[in-house]
Amino acid sequence: SQQGEEDPQALSIQEGENATMNCSYKTSINNLQWYRQNSGRGLVHLILIRSNEREKHSGRLRVTLDTSKKSSSLLITASRAADTASYFCGCQGAQKLVFGQGTRLTINP
Amino acid sequence: GAVVSQHPSWVICKSGTSVKIECRSLDFQATTMFWYRQFPKQSLMLMATSNEGSKATYEQGVEKDKFLINHASLTLSTLTVTSAHPEDSSFYICSATRTPKVMNTEAFFGQGTRLTVV
């Protein structure tokens, strides 16, 4: 079964607004990774946060990790139309990287 | 970042035939590669872990004889869908991590293969 669950499943916002996506997982992890996927394409790595880290930034991206609640969030600030895509959290165990259901993000111009 | 190339990008085949998909790490060596399957608007489902020089490890519910995986070198893994049926139509994606495997390192994904069985 999938390790992660994401919400919302779909999110539609106006350009310039911030977008927040959440990911929850069930078992212990070594790290959690966020990926982006444009329709019909492969996954592009966005950011990796280790199990001993609580927050990480990369450009307009901010990721948090709460291992006590087994949850993570991805915040995209000042969204752009080009941010429209599906976003997945990947939970990295000893070897396998298992993905959540994903959030389909639509940025309206 | 490292590059993973997947070939072909799309393929249409007749029911009953077999299709081979290749996954290559172009600028790094990958002891381990992963194969995923993705249905439209759904998540990636891990099918199997491909280990160079040894047998692949399949996830529960994935038929080993149906989805043959070969990882003959540190830069190439192949997935063969045998006796394909329309229900095998899907998007197949591979990923690879660097060797030696380092914890807390990102995975690099191929661009995916769209398989349509008619």
Side-chain angles (χ1 to χ4, degrees), chain A residues 41-84:
Chain A
R41 307 291 293 274
L43 271 68
V44 175
H45 181 263
L46 296 177
I47 197 165
L48 180 153
I49 185 164
R50 300 180 184 188
S51 59
N52 62 352
E53 297 176 313
R54 293 297 167 259
E55 187 172 313
K56 212 164 182 181
H57 298 256
S58 177
R60 294 185 294 115
L61 306 180
R62 172 177 171 259
V63 168
T64 64
L65 179 63
D66 187 335
T67 52
S68 66
K69 296 181 180 179
K70 290 187 168 59
S71 67
S72 174
S73 68
L74 170 66
L75 168 67
I76 303 175
T77 61
S79 63
R80 305 168 181 169
D83 294 329
T84 295

Side-chain angles (χ1 to χ4, degrees), chain A residues 2-9 20-27 29 31-35 47 49 62-75 87-92 97-103, chain B residues 43:
Chain A
Q2 291 297 97
Q3 165 74 296
E5 293 183 3
E6 296 181 62
D7 78 273
Q9 291 187 6
T20 299
M21 290 159 272
N22 303 295
C23 171
S24 60
Y25 57 94
K26 299 175 183 176
T27 61
I29 58 173
N31 65 70
L32 189 144
Q33 306 177 33
W34 285 91
Y35 288 81
I47 197 165
I49 185 164
R62 172 177 171 259
V63 168
T64 64
L65 179 63
D66 187 335
T67 52
S68 66
K69 296 181 180 179
K70 290 187 168 59
S71 67
S72 174
S73 68
L74 170 66
L75 168 67
Y87 293 81
F88 295 93
C89 66
C91 301
Q92 175 80 61
L97 181 63
V98 182
F99 289 91
Q101 294 300 315
T103 295
Chain B
S43 186

Side-chain angles (χ1 to χ4, degrees), chain A residues 2 30-31 33 35 37 40-43 45 48 50 88 92-101 104, chain B residues 32 34 36 38 41-46 49 51 59 91 93 101 103-107 109-111:
Chain A
Q2 291 297 97
N30 288 313
N31 65 70
Q33 306 177 33
Y35 288 81
Q37 184 184 36
R41 307 291 293 274
L43 271 68
H45 181 263
L48 180 153
R50 300 180 184 188
F88 295 93
Q92 175 80 61
Q95 187 179 37
K96 297 187 292 187
L97 181 63
V98 182
F99 289 91
Q101 294 300 315
R104 291 192 302 279
Chain B
T32 304
F34 302 90
Y36 295 86
Q38 185 180 33
K41 298 185 179 180
Q42 294 189 25
S43 186
L44 285 76
M45 298 293 294
L46 180 64
T49 302
N51 302 298
E59 294 299 300
F91 193 57
I93 310 177
K101 189 174 190 307
M103 294 304 296
N104 295 315
T105 184
E106 66 187 272
F109 283 81
Q111 66 268 45

Side-chain angles (χ1 to χ4, degrees), chain B residues 4 10 30 40 69 109:
Chain B
V4 173
W10 61 269
I69 292 174
F109 283 81

